Amino acid sequence: MITQVGPLISSDKITSKLIKKTVCAYCGVGCGITAEINETDRTVTVVGSDHPANFGRLCSKGSALSDTISLDERLLEPEINGQQVTWDQALNKVANGFSDIIKQHGPDAVAFYVSGQLLTEDYYVANKLMKGFIGSGNIDTNSRLCMSSSVVGHKRAFGADTVPGCYEDFEQAELITLVGSNTAWCHPVLFQRIKKYKEANPNVKVVVIDPRKTQTCDIADLHLPLDLGTDTWLFNGLLNALNQNKKINHTYVNEHCEGLDSAILAAEKSSGDIFELAEKLSVDERDLSTFFDWFSHTEKSVTLYSQGVNQSSSGTDKVNSIINCHLATGRIGKEGMGPFSMTGQPNAMGGREVGGLANTLAAHMDFDEDSIDRVKRYWDAPNIATKPGLMAVDMFNAIESGKIKAVWIMATNPVVSLPNANQVKRALEKCELVVVSDCIADTDTVRLANVKLPATGWSEKDGTVTNSERRISRQRGLLPNAGNAQHDWWIINEVAKRMGFEAGFSHANQAEIFREHAALSGFENSLKSTLKQSNRLRDFDISGLQNFSDKEYEDFAPIQWPVNTEHPEGLKRFFENGQFFTPNRKAKILALEPKLPINLPTHDYPLRLNTGRIRDQWHTMTRTALASKLNQHISEPFVEVNTKDAKQLKLNDGQLVNVNSKWGHMLGRLIINDNCKKGDIFAPMHWTQALSKNGRINTVVNPEVDTFSKQPESKHTPVNVSAYDAKWFGFALSREEISWPNCDYIVSAKGKEHNRLEIADYNTLEDPINTMINWLGFDNTHKIEQAGLELLTYQDESSRLFRVALIDNQGALQGLVMIAPNQHLPERTWLGMQFNKTSLDSRSRRALLSGYAPAGEDIGRIVCACFSVGEKTIEKAIKGGCENAAEVGAEIKAGTNCGSCVPEIKQIILRC
Ligand code: SF4
């Protein structure tokens, strides 16, 4: 157990171990971590800290952070065209390359594509360099894919990109509506907070609005599985119902809002009666009425929404349709009330604050004349950008067309994460100069870089991040920089200096950058005439931190912005005074005409693809896939298809299927269930080409974007699904790295003491045993003997079953391959565990090629990643008398750490 230290922490020596407080590297919940550091062997142990986002909890991903920091997969030296170079050579190459292109083609011929994984200080100097010194708006961030619709929705309604509330509101509400958010898997710690609160307050209602039945439905009193893309109809319908039920707060609206009448007219027009609306949404009319009734009669209502709302060609309207209902009822800026956008990434909010989106300038200022002039003066900027730059999808289109000739990609993997991902790959292949800064050596994007710049990783980076509730926290460097890796802010500053911009980029450390950023937020940020309680021009103001000493910066405790003279301790909620950031200080209720997704199903592409995240992986898996325990729950890219569609298409559970759209193709493992509605399919967004030959779902996803936010429509693409008629299926487990064989389906995953490949192909496997031996790295049996290994084989030619194992002279398993004519192969968990043994006992050795564990040893597929508890162990506990998830937890620990597997444990209980 790690000793907890007080709230304002730098570092301390406790029993010769260094303890530091930092934050998690993944989702927007922004959990705090207490890390115990062992510098000698570069290891770190993590537990949840007393941070106000998580109060000690961590989810499976956060808990496994210590397993992701080894140097094995790191990019440790700068490279130019595959050759290791010095930092000086690499920085000169980048600076000269960018300068030459700018000189020849102008500033808009270059671009930065950055990331919500960067720290605020990195983000700040990247934005300053592009918009203030290079003179182009061409810096955009992968947050474009995550919450740019919320940004625009906030600005349209509030006049600023302001998150009104805080996490505490969820624990004060009486109705919690979760829209387009699988909170249980995507923001697990927040889900656990809500769950605990609901358990203690059974009268609190939870409504889940999602086309898919997700794990989040586990705590739902009501699930509304609306049709993909129909959210604006739903919330227009709610506004209409609020009006009909006389639940509009006219006193509040008259004083603080405008636009209600036309919004209600538009809502009436799109809603029809409750039956028509229910039919439009494809939901039960009684359920719809129940939701409207609960919302109408529950003052303390919070509506939390996420990517299911944002990732749409009408995402901004969807956001405003939710905000409309809160403004019309005056349920905003008060305890337990408000719309709340959950951000995906750890520092998406920090990116918004510095101006990392191409359509914002800096510090929540836009490209208006006053702001351009103000920022120009503040930065003493020689070439201030005067218009927005190209946003993500358009940026990569411009790269492909040759308009942009040099791009610098920082801490992100667009070849996997952007829609129409093959086009992104083509664009980078054509681009004159591709610079990639990353901490990982082999990502789909790093593979295409002319210049590779090794950046520090989570355990080394030092700066600040902002979570979904506007809370700024310190991420603290735990370990010395790996190899020759450098912090992103340092790399950017060094390039800027070499481009001739020494004066603006001579910061000595990250604290100095933070002070400059904080001071800009407060620069000329007051209204000439003080309006009631608010005298600030802009919402983002952390000028109260601008004079922090290095020591204060090191020590500062998490705080919610704004932090200024009015709010020296930060602020939980904006808009308590009903004053917004529009010119007349009134919020805007918008008239919204709902729109369907741009590409609708057709005869050739009759199904609708929805994409999202899974529980134990993060983004493009470049870091989470390094933790073997996170690869156990779901190890392959999958496609979830409704039972009725599967029957119609004559598909079988576990087989491989092709997913095709007009844009591309993906191959994945089929899961048949009723989580998706008939007509919809779901696939995870995580798998890369580095980890799977054909598993990138974003090659399939259409590149349509929202008109206002330019956020891609990642939740709706017309596709077809067909069987992939593999002649054989197999898997290979090996202590050594396995070279990829020549077959269509390949997925690799790291196990504890082994590497795993899932493989299948359309062509008959010739000479199976020798081929399998070959996959394990041996040309023939003679070479195996020479290596002192024992070869075990099993073959049943008539059934086309083939198995080989290699065991060393100590009795330890070195490799294992199994091939069958169909997907019904032995479960991999027990087989993988045999690699953890220094020597196989006789029982295990006998059982090995049967594929079946000896009695009592088979734990089944892993369900609880935190404690590696398998499905069969859980079934055994249930059969032994455990009647609920709590009893299962008490008996075998499953579900007792992060709790993310509890919905699945409940499903197993139902099944048993
Ligand atoms: S919920 Fe999980 S992934 Fe998100 S910040 Fe917390 S520990 Fe990290």
Side-chain angles (χ1 to χ4, degrees):
M1 188 68 193
I2 291 171
T3 313
Q4 297 279 333
V5 281
L8 289 176
I9 293 305
S10 53
S11 62
D12 200 1
K13 291 267 182 193
I14 296 178
T15 59
S16 79
K17 295 274 170 97
L18 192 63
I19 307 283
K20 283 192 182 183
K21 283 198 172 181
T22 185
V23 286
C24 177
Y26 302 121
C27 86
V29 176
C31 295
I33 281 175
T34 304
E36 182 180 292
I37 305 150
N38 188 334
E39 278 189 8
T40 318
D41 62 2
R42 273 192 78 88
T43 57
V44 168
T45 313
V46 301
V47 290
S49 73
D50 52 1
H51 189 286
N54 55 316
F55 298 109
R57 297 178 186 88
L58 289 179
C59 77
S60 54
K61 296 183 284 285
S63 303
L65 268 165
S66 35
D67 297 341
T68 66
I69 60 172
S70 95
L71 300 187
D72 293 348
E73 314 281 336
R74 288 291 298 271
L75 180 62
L76 296 172
E77 300 291 339
E79 287 178 26
I80 298 175
N81 297 326
Q83 298 300 312
Q84 187 181 318
V85 294
T86 63
W87 264 111
D88 217 32
Q89 288 168 313
L91 295 165
N92 285 337
K93 169 81 181 169
V94 177
N96 294 339
F98 269 69
S99 296
D100 289 348
I101 288 169
I102 292 164
K103 208 164 156 193
Q104 241 184 309
H105 304 282
D108 289 336
V110 301
F112 294 167
Y113 186 63
V114 299
S115 163
Q117 308 291 311
L118 293 177
L119 304 184
T120 299
E121 292 75 3
D122 306 323
Y123 244 134
Y124 178 82
V125 288
N127 188 57
K128 181 179 176 184
L129 173 58
M130 181 54 79
K131 290 186 182 143
F133 290 72
I134 289 176
S136 170
N138 282 347
I139 171 170
D140 208 34
T141 156
N142 62 3
S143 300
R144 178 73 52 199
L145 317 180
C146 160
M147 36 33 57
S148 53
S149 294
S150 281
V151 172
V152 179
H154 287 158
K155 283 168 137 177
R156 293 203 303 183
F158 310 142
D161 176 20
T162 315
V163 174
C166 56
Y167 295 161
E168 262 177 51
D169 288 326
F170 304 133
E171 292 158 335
Q172 291 161 336
E174 285 158 19
L175 173 66
I176 302 168
T177 305
L178 304 162
V179 195
S181 163
N182 184 6
T183 321
W185 277 16
C186 303
H187 298 100
V189 164
L190 197 57
F191 178 79
Q192 292 303 323
R193 283 179 65 170
I194 295 170
K195 182 168 176 264
K196 193 173 166 211
Y197 167 66
K198 182 168 162 55
E199 280 165 2
N201 300 276
N203 292 333
V204 170
K205 297 274 190 297
V206 173
V207 178
V208 173
I209 296 172
D210 195 317
R212 246 176 108 217
K213 185 169 183 238
T214 66
Q215 296 66 26
T216 303
C217 295
D218 186 50
I219 58 164
D221 297 284
L222 177 66
H223 172 213
L224 275 183
L226 81 178
D227 254 8
L228 273 169
T230 58
D231 313 54
T232 309
W233 273 277
L234 172 68
F235 285 96
N236 262 4
L238 176 58
L239 184 64
N240 188 36
L242 290 166
N243 185 44
Q244 287 175 348
N245 296 337
K246 305 209 178 319
K247 292 293 176 187
I248 303 288
N249 184 340
H250 288 285
T251 311
Y252 182 87
V253 170
N254 289 341
E255 204 172 331
H256 302 300
C257 308
E258 58 187 16
L260 178 70
D261 292 347
S262 50
I264 285 177
L265 273 180
E268 273 171 4
K269 194 171 153 205
S270 73
S271 303
D273 65 28
I274 190 84
F275 298 99
E276 288 167 321
L277 183 60
E279 195 180 333
K280 178 79 202 168
L281 306 175
S282 296
V283 296
D284 187 290
E285 166 267 326
R286 286 159 304 182
D287 289 345
L288 188 60
S289 295
T290 301
F291 171 54
F292 287 176
D293 191 47
W294 286 353
F295 194 97
S296 294
H297 293 98
T298 314
E299 183 73 0
K300 290 203 160 192
S301 288
V302 167
T303 308
L304 181 156
Y305 61 93
S306 191
Q307 272 50 304
V309 170
N310 293 328
Q311 290 178 335
S312 159
S313 57
S314 57
T316 306
D317 282 353
K318 290 177 180 177
V319 168
N320 284 107
S321 72
I322 293 170
I323 294 173
N324 276 354
C325 296
H326 280 272
L327 288 172
T329 49
R331 295 175 191 166
I332 191 164
K334 299 169 192 153
E335 280 189 5
M337 301 181 205
F340 194 96
S341 152
M342 276 299 304
T343 53
Q345 299 192 77
N347 200 28
M349 290 283 279
R352 284 148 79 166
E353 290 154 16
V354 303
L357 291 160
N359 49 331
T360 59
L361 179 56
H364 279 210
M365 284 177 270
D366 291 330
F367 285 93
D368 56 274
E369 239 175 73
D370 287 350
S371 297
I372 292 170
D373 173 62
R374 184 181 302 121
V375 176
K376 181 180 162 46
R377 283 186 283 113
Y378 182 82
W379 280 342
D380 196 13
N383 303 306
I384 191 88
T386 53
K387 62 179 191 321
L390 292 171
M391 295 175 240
V393 169
D394 290 341
M395 180 183 282
F396 282 86
N397 286 338
I399 293 170
E400 192 180 26
S401 72
K403 196 175 156 215
I404 290 176
K405 296 173 192 310
V407 63
W408 185 353
I409 299 166
M410 304 177 199
T412 184
N413 197 3
V415 176
V416 182
S417 53
L418 273 170
N420 199 7
N422 281 339
Q423 186 252 348
V424 173
K425 190 172 175 208
R426 279 196 311 272
L428 292 181
E429 281 164 351
K430 283 184 187 175
C431 188
E432 211 173 302
L433 177 60
V434 178
V435 180
V436 179
S437 317
D438 209 299
C439 58
I440 300 294
D442 183 25
T443 75
D444 292 26
T445 303
V446 170
R447 285 176 181 186
L448 301 174
N450 306 110
V451 184
K452 300 177 188 174
L453 303 175
T456 44
W458 167 78
S459 61
E460 302 137 30
K461 284 177 84 71
D462 202 294
T464 55
V465 293
T466 309
N467 74 1
S468 297
E469 61 168 356
R470 293 176 276 103
R471 194 179 293 279
I472 303 171
S473 299
R474 282 283 280 112
Q475 179 169 323
R476 293 184 171 88
L478 309 175
L479 295 168
N481 293 3
N484 242 330
Q486 294 286 355
H487 297 315
D488 286 283
W489 68 264
W490 181 90
I491 303 172
I492 297 159
N493 273 10
E494 288 303 310
V495 168
K497 287 177 198 167
R498 285 163 171 80
M499 290 177 78
F501 306 132
E502 172 92 35
F505 298 88
S506 55
H507 311 94
N509 55 32
Q510 52 272 40
E512 210 169 284
I513 300 172
F514 183 81
R515 287 190 285 268
E516 184 180 315
H517 164 60
L520 173 59
S521 74
F523 184 57
E524 298 177 0
N525 188 3
S526 53
L527 286 169
K528 290 192 179 75
S529 61
T530 300
L531 270 168
K532 295 198 172 167
Q533 300 155 48
S534 172
N535 67 351
R536 294 286 155 178
L537 186 61
R538 307 186 296 274
D539 62 339
F540 178 64
D541 181 359
I542 54 168
S543 51
L545 307 174
Q546 72 186 47
N547 295 321
F548 259 13
S549 66
D550 286 2
K551 176 78 170 67
E552 283 168 317
Y553 175 78
E554 178 55 33
D555 285 352
F556 96 73
I559 190 165
Q560 279 176 288
W561 63 259
V563 188
N564 50 24
T565 43
E566 291 93 59
H567 306 290
E569 303 301 322
L571 182 68
K572 281 186 187 172
R573 286 175 204 86
F574 267 92
F575 312 139
E576 279 177 287
N577 55 10
Q579 299 286 295
F580 295 86
F581 291 94
T582 52
N584 65 1
R585 298 268 137 176
K586 287 192 169 191
K588 290 208 166 49
I589 302 178
L590 298 183
L592 301 167
E593 186 187 336
K595 292 176 205 74
L596 284 171
I598 289 172
N599 292 298
L600 295 175
T602 62
H603 178 267
D604 291 338
Y605 302 104
L607 300 170
R608 300 176 297 188
L609 167 69
N610 182 2
T611 61
R613 294 178 182 175
I614 62 171
R615 191 188 77 188
D616 292 346
Q617 296 295 346
W618 173 254
H619 276 196
T620 62
M621 299 170 69
T622 51
R623 288 170 297 161
T624 42
L626 304 176
S628 59
K629 65 164 74 158
L630 298 180
N631 297 327
Q632 299 179 103
H633 181 235
I634 297 174
S635 320
E636 293 175 80
F638 65 88
V639 182
E640 206 172 68
V641 174
N642 179 277
T643 315
K644 289 182 186 141
D645 290 322
K647 196 171 168 196
Q648 207 172 325
L649 293 164
K650 298 188 173 44
L651 300 173
N652 298 311
D653 199 48
Q655 74 173 104
L656 298 178
V657 288
N658 298 296
V659 180
N660 286 300
S661 73
K662 279 202 309 201
W663 296 271
H665 163 257
M666 176 258 191
L667 189 55
R669 185 77 65 179
L670 178 66
I671 297 175
I672 300 174
N673 57 34
D674 290 331
N675 290 346
C676 287
K677 293 168 82 162
K678 180 168 166 24
D680 295 351
I681 70 165
F682 174 84
M685 47 82 80
H686 305 289
W687 269 271
T688 65
Q689 206 157 25
L691 293 170
S692 67
K693 191 165 175 190
N694 287 299
R696 278 184 308 150
I697 194 61
N698 275 311
T699 59
V700 176
V701 172
N702 75 114
E704 296 297 344
V705 295
D706 179 271
T707 318
F708 307 104
S709 70
K710 304 288 181 192
Q711 177 152 0
E713 184 144 65
S714 304
K715 300 290 187 195
H716 188 287
T717 301
V719 295
N720 62 41
V721 174
S722 60
Y724 174 83
D725 291 322
K727 286 278 187 326
W728 57 270
F729 294 76
F731 63 85
L733 310 176
S734 171
R735 214 173 275 281
E736 303 298 325
E737 285 280 334
I738 319 171
S739 300
W740 282 15
N742 183 20
C743 47
D744 275 352
Y745 185 74
I746 307 175
V747 180
S748 83
K750 187 174 184 274
K752 192 167 173 211
E753 293 289 339
H754 66 281
N755 299 289
R756 169 175 162 183
L757 282 190
E758 292 291 329
I759 38 184
D761 198 60
Y762 183 77
N763 295 306
T764 305
L765 193 63
E766 303 294 343
D767 190 9
I769 294 291
N770 280 322
T771 304
M772 292 153 75
I773 289 170
N774 203 258
W775 291 343
L776 291 175
F778 293 92
D779 294 341
N780 51 49
T781 49
H782 183 62
K783 292 263 171 68
I784 292 174
E785 277 169 32
Q786 278 182 335
L789 298 174
E790 183 184 357
L791 171 67
L792 308 181
T793 63
Y794 169 86
Q795 52 187 316
D796 178 346
E797 194 64 57
S798 60
S799 304
R800 299 296 292 165
L801 294 175
F802 303 97
R803 294 168 186 185
V804 303
L806 295 178
I807 295 175
D808 71 14
N809 53 17
Q810 304 298 311
L813 181 60
Q814 294 299 318
L816 178 70
V817 187
M818 295 195 176
I819 297 292
N822 54 43
Q823 68 269 31
H824 303 298
L825 284 150
E827 219 287 313
R828 283 49 144 189
T829 309
W830 178 80
L831 293 169
M833 285 164 60
Q834 302 318 299
F835 287 88
N836 305 344
K837 298 175 178 171
T838 49
S839 176
L840 293 177
D841 56 40
S842 56
R843 254 163 55 103
S844 303
R845 194 183 151 100
R846 272 199 307 278
L848 197 62
L849 287 190
S850 78
Y852 295 103
E857 284 190 32
D858 189 6
I859 65 168
R861 183 183 60 87
I862 296 295
V863 173
C864 170
C866 296
F867 295 114
S868 293
V869 183
E871 194 170 17
K872 292 203 170 136
T873 310
I874 295 167
E875 285 170 358
K876 198 170 151 201
I878 296 163
K879 283 172 190 154
C882 295
E883 291 185 353
N884 53 47
E887 288 179 12
V888 169
E891 181 76 16
I892 54 173
K893 287 172 84 174
T896 57
N897 182 37
C898 76
S900 299
C901 62
V902 169
E904 202 168 338
I905 294 172
K906 287 184 180 174
Q907 291 298 321
I908 299 170
I909 293 169
L910 285 177
R911 204 176 62 217
C912 287

